[in-house]
Amino acid sequence: MTDAISIDVWSDIACPWCYIGKRNLEKGLADAASDDDAPVTTVTFHSFELSPDTPVDFEGDEIDFLAGHKGMPRDQVSQMLSNVTGVAANAGLEYRFDLLRHTNTVKAHELLHFAKQAGRQHDMAERLMSAYFTEGRHVGRIDDLVDLATEIGLDGDAVRDALENERHLPDVRADQAQAQAYGINGVPFFVIDGKYGVSGAQPPEAFAQIARQVWAERRSAASAL
């Protein structure tokens, strides 16, 4: 029996390309799963904060944030968001930057680690990204995060206790330290089997190809023993 291919994904809840990359990864792996000798994979999400100095309650919209944070002209930011919205649509996602509520994401990352321990990390990542990019939900405050966690079946009291006591903050910091050790300075970033790095929201075909390639390498190595 060949061990599963590990796919470690560094991303941020507030990164529009990360949600697109997540969806493309899922589509690529689903395509490869139809093979006669389908790759077996495990996907784990890791924390990366793009703007750790962002306040929990940012005053302004996404254009205000990016214009101030990146120093870009507002017209240029608006065009950039329009382009990203188009790419997201091609991935099956309906981005609503007009509703988006920019916030600090460290608590959301803590929640992802809580969900990982409960075996629900994938569900939680999807719920957080959908809430942020398509529903205009707040994903920075504990009360709102508890609500989102209970929506996928997690225990609200346990979530609140973990977030209020920063129980998973060391896990967030460990992920960030590992990203730094790998030299990751932008997300999404995918580490395949601990040896191949894939940067950016690649198309589904690219993820399917690398899964098949690594699986074939695994099979070849196993048959050589």
Side-chain angles (χ1 to χ4, degrees):
M1 181 67 182
T2 304
D3 292 337
I5 298 168
S6 64
I7 301 178
D8 293 284
V9 186
W10 270 263
S11 64
D12 193 358
I13 300 303
C15 164
W17 293 105
C18 291
Y19 198 10
I20 294 168
K22 176 180 180 294
R23 190 61 87 246
N24 287 351
L25 172 66
E26 292 165 348
K27 289 179 179 177
L29 294 181
D31 182 48
S34 65
D35 295 355
D36 290 336
D37 182 21
V40 179
T41 61
T42 60
V43 179
T44 304
F45 292 98
H46 298 274
S47 303
F48 191 101
E49 291 180 89
L50 285 172
S51 302
D53 57 344
T54 304
V56 171
D57 291 301
F58 177 77
E59 295 293 335
D61 60 17
E62 186 71 350
I63 295 178
D64 293 327
F65 176 79
L66 290 175
H69 189 72
K70 296 184 178 295
M72 297 167 59
R74 293 180 66 86
D75 287 348
Q76 186 178 348
V77 172
S78 181
Q79 182 60 50
M80 183 179 70
L81 294 181
S82 178
N83 291 339
V84 173
T85 300
V87 176
N90 289 334
L93 301 169
E94 185 182 354
Y95 278 8
R96 291 294 306 272
F97 286 109
D98 57 320
L99 301 178
L100 189 148
R101 304 172 74 179
H102 207 84
T103 187
N104 189 289
T105 59
V106 69
K107 286 296 178 188
H109 285 295
E110 291 178 39
L111 177 54
L112 281 174
H113 280 282
F114 178 95
K116 179 184 176 183
Q117 285 194 341
R120 302 295 302 278
Q121 191 191 42
H122 288 206
D123 295 331
M124 196 72 255
E126 179 65 28
R127 190 68 200 93
L128 286 166
M129 288 181 169
S130 175
Y132 185 73
F133 283 108
T134 74
E135 301 168 34
R137 299 277 294 271
H138 203 300
V139 300
R141 299 182 299 227
I142 290 178
D143 286 348
D144 298 274
L145 291 170
V146 169
D147 288 343
L148 290 168
T150 58
E151 287 177 20
I152 69 160
L154 295 178
D155 183 280
D157 291 337
V159 169
R160 183 179 299 278
D161 180 68
L163 295 180
E164 288 179 347
N165 291 286
E166 300 184 339
R167 191 160 296 125
H168 294 285
L169 184 59
D171 300 316
V172 174
R173 299 305 181 220
D175 277 353
Q176 293 169 331
Q178 183 62 66
Q180 188 172 23
Y182 277 143
I184 299 171
N185 51 29
V187 288
F189 195 93
F190 306 82
V191 177
I192 316 296
D193 247 16
K195 57 182 179 179
Y196 298 110
V198 178
S199 178
Q202 301 296 320
E205 299 78 22
F207 290 117
Q209 179 182 3
I210 193 167
R212 289 172 173 136
Q213 174 190 327
V214 174
W215 192 246
E217 290 173 1
R218 291 279 201 86
R219 288 299 204 198
S220 178
S223 64
L225 296 178

